[in-house]
Amino acid sequence: MSGTAGADERMRRDGALAAVYPALARDDVVVVTIMGTVAVELYQLGHRPNFFYLEHAMGLASSLGLGIALSLPSNPVVVDGDGSLLMNLARSPLSPATTPPT
Amino acid sequence: MPVSVANSKVVYEALKAVDVRIMSALPETWLVHLLHQAEEEEGVGISAGAHFVGVKSAMLMQNHGFLASVNGIVSFALLYKIPLLMLVSFRGDLGERDPWQTQGSLVTLPVFRALGIPHYPLSDPATVPRTIRQAQQLAESALTPVALLLTRDLMWEETA
C-alpha cells in the first residue's frame, strides 16, 4: 500500500484475511466461507481440507456455521460477506439465543 | 387450548425416537406445544451444518414458512443434496376458519411438486412415529428434502 494518508491506509479485506489466516490454518478448526471474493482470497492464501466455501446459498453461511456449532463440541469460524450478511439479518439475534457450546 | 397437546407430544416423541437432536422452528399457533428461530430459511443452513458433521435434524414451520424458505431449499438443500426433514403445519386446508390462511394452502402442494420434494400428510397419531421414521429414511437414502404436512386433523381438537 502506498504511504498516502486517508482511506488507503485502512486494512483491506485481503490484508485482514492474511492476518487471521494462521488462526484458520489449523486441523482443529472448521472454517466456512460464503461464496465470492472472500472465498477466492482465502483459497489463494492456501487451501486446506478444513476450509469449506459455500457456493450459491447467499445468506446461509452463518446458518451453516450455527448448525455445525450446535453439532460439534468446538465452534467453527464463519467468514461471511457483506451482501450475504444483509440477506440474512435475522441470523444476528438467533445465534446467541441458541447458545451453541463454546 | 384447541391445539392438540397429546398429538404434539406424539410428534415430539417420534422425532426423539429417530435421533433427531436439532430442531429449528419458527413458532405458530399449531406449533406452540412443539417448539421455538428467527426466520425459516435459516433452518436450511442449520440442518445442513448438522448433516455435514453427522447429526440428524429437522425443521418445523408453517406452510408460509416453507414458502418463505424456498430460495434456501433450492440454493442449498437441493443443490448440495441435504436430507432435510421438514415438518410443515398445513394451515388453510379443510376446516380452516382464518381467511388469511387459505391463500397459502392453495399453493403449498403445487410448490412442493414444482420443487420435486416428496411430501406426505400426517393426520393420524397412530401412524406418526412410523411415517416420521420412513420420511427420515427416505431423505437420507435419496439425499433430498422430504416434507411431512401436519394437518388440522392431527394438530387441532375442535371444541363443541
Side-chain angles (χ1 to χ4, degrees):
Chain A
M1 298 226 288
S2 75
T4 55
D8 285 347
E9 291 192 345
R10 290 182 302 187
M11 181 179 274
R12 303 193 326 173
R13 183 185 50 239
D14 53 358
L17 274 175
V20 300
Y21 183 80
L24 308 180
R26 295 162 40 140
D27 290 340
D28 60 343
V29 175
V30 174
V31 179
V32 172
T33 81
I34 194 59
M35 65 197 207
T37 315
V38 73
V40 172
E41 288 175 353
L42 184 63
Y43 184 88
Q44 287 174 342
L45 283 168
H47 174 68
R48 292 177 51 90
N50 60 313
F51 294 174
F52 179 78
Y53 320 94
L54 180 61
E55 292 295 334
H56 195 61
M58 272 189 81
L60 293 183
S62 53
S63 309
L64 173 63
L66 179 55
I68 293 171
L70 291 167
S71 306
L72 287 181
S74 61
N75 279 343
V77 175
V78 176
V79 187
D80 216 340
D82 50 358
S84 178
L85 197 71
L86 286 168
M87 283 181 70
N88 188 5
L89 289 173
R91 162 210 49 79
S92 307
L94 174 67
S95 297
T98 50
T99 59
T102 53
Chain B
M1 171 73 82
V3 180
S4 174
V5 176
N7 288 348
S8 297
K9 190 160 174 53
V10 168
V11 173
Y12 172 77
E13 293 296 340
L15 289 165
K16 264 177 61 178
V18 295
D19 198 30
V20 167
R21 287 169 50 199
I22 294 176
M23 290 288 304
S24 61
L26 192 131
E28 69 111 0
T29 306
W30 284 14
L31 307 178
V32 288
H33 301 300
L34 268 166
L35 277 176
H36 298 294
Q37 175 174 341
E39 182 242 341
E40 290 87 354
E41 192 177 1
E42 181 95 50
V44 180
I46 294 171
S47 281
H51 170 63
F52 284 171
V53 296
V55 168
K56 295 181 195 302
S57 70
M59 292 173 68
L60 182 61
M61 60 203 160
Q62 199 202 91
N63 42 351
H64 281 272
F66 157 67
L67 294 173
S69 64
V70 164
N71 184 56
I73 289 170
V74 172
S75 301
F76 202 162
L78 291 172
L79 182 65
Y80 281 86
K81 303 197 175 302
I82 308 295
L84 191 64
L85 179 59
M86 295 188 287
L87 273 66
V88 180
S89 58
F90 194 21
R91 298 298 304 269
D93 202 30
L94 282 174
E96 180 64 57
R97 290 173 182 162
D98 300 339
W100 51 88
Q101 297 287 2
T102 56
Q103 193 63 43
S105 71
L106 297 176
V107 301
T108 298
L109 299 181
V111 172
F112 274 124
R113 282 195 289 272
L115 296 173
I117 295 178
H119 51 283
Y120 310 91
L122 274 182
S123 299
D124 178 2
T127 65
V128 164
R130 178 163 160 263
T131 306
I132 286 181
R133 191 171 66 247
Q134 290 177 324
Q136 184 192 54
Q137 184 66 65
L138 176 60
E140 290 178 357
S141 57
L143 292 176
T144 183
V146 173
L148 296 175
L149 294 155
L150 306 172
T151 63
R152 172 172 286 269
D153 285 344
L154 182 72
M155 300 305 296
W156 200 256
E157 291 170 351
E158 295 293 350
T159 48

